[in-house]
Amino acid sequence: MARLELPERTQEGEEVVLGLRCQVTELHDVLMKDVGHRIRADGRSVVYDGRWARGGEMRVPADGGDLVAAPRWPLVIDPSGQAATFLRYQDTNYVFALNPDHLRPERIRLALLGALRFGKPLVFDLREVDLFPAVQRQLEEVQPGLAKELLSRGLLEQERCLSLLRPTDGPEYGPTQFQEARLGHFRLFVTKVRWPPAEQLQILHPVRVQLPSGHL
C-alpha cells in the first residue's frame, strides 16, 4: 500500500500526487480486488455542470459546477499495453475502441447490460489514441445521459440500469435478474498507453502501471 501511494516528483523536487501507481503483477489486487479500498476511497469526485461540449463529450467546468460525490472509475495508463491484455483475459466485457464494430451503440449497450447483469467489469481499451470523447458520444447514442449516469455510478441503481433493457432482450435480462449484489460487483475500467488530457483526470482515477526496474 505504501508503494501504491508514493507521490511523483517533478524535476524541481516538488511532489505531485496523481492517482495510484502499481506494477503489472499487482493489477489483480489493485483493480479486481481493490486491496485497501484505494479506488473506492478516491478523494476526488466526478464533476458535471449539466452541459455537453459540441460533439457530445462531457465538459468539466473550471469553477466546479454541479458536484456529484462519487469515486472515479479507474483510468489505467500503461505504456507497455500489458494491463489491457490482463483485463481482456479476465472475466470482463471488453470493448476495443479502435475497432469500429466494437463502438456500435448496440454492441456497447449489450456489453454494458451484460456487465451490470452478471456483476463483472466493463473495459474500454483506448490504446494510444484519445478515443474517450468518441466513447462518450457512443454512450449518448445508446441513451441520452448514459455517459453521465455511468461515470457518476448513478446507473448502478436498479431502476436506472433497467432503462437499458429493450423488448428484444432475452429472459436472462428480465428486470428481476438485476440484483443489488451483482450490481455492486460491476466495475468500469478505461485503459490507454499514453497520458490523457487533463480534463479526463477530473472524471477518471489514474492508475499508472510501471515496469519492473531494469526492464528494457
Side-chain angles (χ1 to χ4, degrees):
M1 290 311 306
R3 182 167 62 250
L4 296 179
E5 294 177 334
L6 283 174
E8 288 293 316
R9 293 181 181 273
T10 64
Q11 291 183 351
E12 294 77 17
E14 180 181 358
E15 292 187 356
V16 179
V17 180
L18 293 171
L20 301 177
R21 298 194 301 178
C22 71
Q23 296 186 4
V24 172
T25 55
E26 299 169 323
L27 283 171
H28 191 270
D29 284 344
V30 173
L31 298 180
M32 310 303 289
K33 297 172 66 176
D34 192 15
V35 171
H37 305 297
R38 300 304 305 164
I39 293 174
R40 186 184 305 175
D42 175 28
R44 301 287 292 278
S45 297
V46 178
V47 178
Y48 302 100
D49 65 351
R51 300 191 299 271
W52 294 82
R54 187 174 183 179
E57 64 269 23
M58 191 173 298
R59 177 182 298 161
V60 180
D63 61 2
D66 183 20
L67 191 64
V68 178
R72 295 168 297 173
W73 296 113
L75 169 60
V76 185
I77 305 164
D78 176 19
S80 75
Q82 294 181 62
T85 302
F86 166 79
L87 288 170
R88 183 177 183 179
Y89 290 102
Q90 299 297 304
D91 184 18
T92 65
N93 283 0
Y94 173 85
V95 177
F96 182 42
L98 273 69
N99 185 335
D101 185 59
H102 281 212
L103 282 188
R104 289 187 299 107
E106 179 62 6
R107 180 152 183 168
I108 289 178
R109 184 187 74 87
L110 292 174
L112 176 55
L113 191 67
L116 291 165
R117 159 66 176 84
F118 295 102
K120 58 185 183 178
L122 172 65
V123 178
F124 285 104
D125 182 5
L126 309 183
R127 295 294 170 95
E128 70 280 0
V129 184
D130 183 22
L131 288 174
F132 188 66
V135 169
Q136 291 177 291
R137 288 193 295 270
Q138 294 306 94
L139 287 167
E140 292 300 297
E141 288 292 324
V142 174
Q143 183 171 285
L146 182 57
K148 176 179 178 178
E149 291 285 306
L150 177 58
L151 291 170
S152 69
R153 301 178 182 243
L155 194 65
L156 300 187
E157 298 180 14
Q158 186 177 31
E159 63 273 14
R160 295 190 183 182
C161 72
L162 295 181
S163 65
L164 291 171
L165 292 174
R166 303 290 183 267
T168 54
D169 296 327
E172 67 271 23
Y173 292 104
T176 60
Q177 300 298 320
F178 290 82
Q179 301 172 8
E180 183 177 353
R182 289 175 178 169
L183 292 173
H185 287 290
F186 172 83
R187 302 285 185 273
L188 172 67
F189 299 130
V190 179
T191 69
K192 64 185 311 175
V193 301
R194 294 182 178 175
W195 193 255
E199 59 269 17
Q200 291 178 20
L201 300 179
Q202 297 294 319
I203 54 179
L204 295 169
H205 188 178
V207 177
R208 290 162 294 165
V209 179
Q210 297 180 312
L211 295 176
S213 300
H215 190 279
L216 297 180

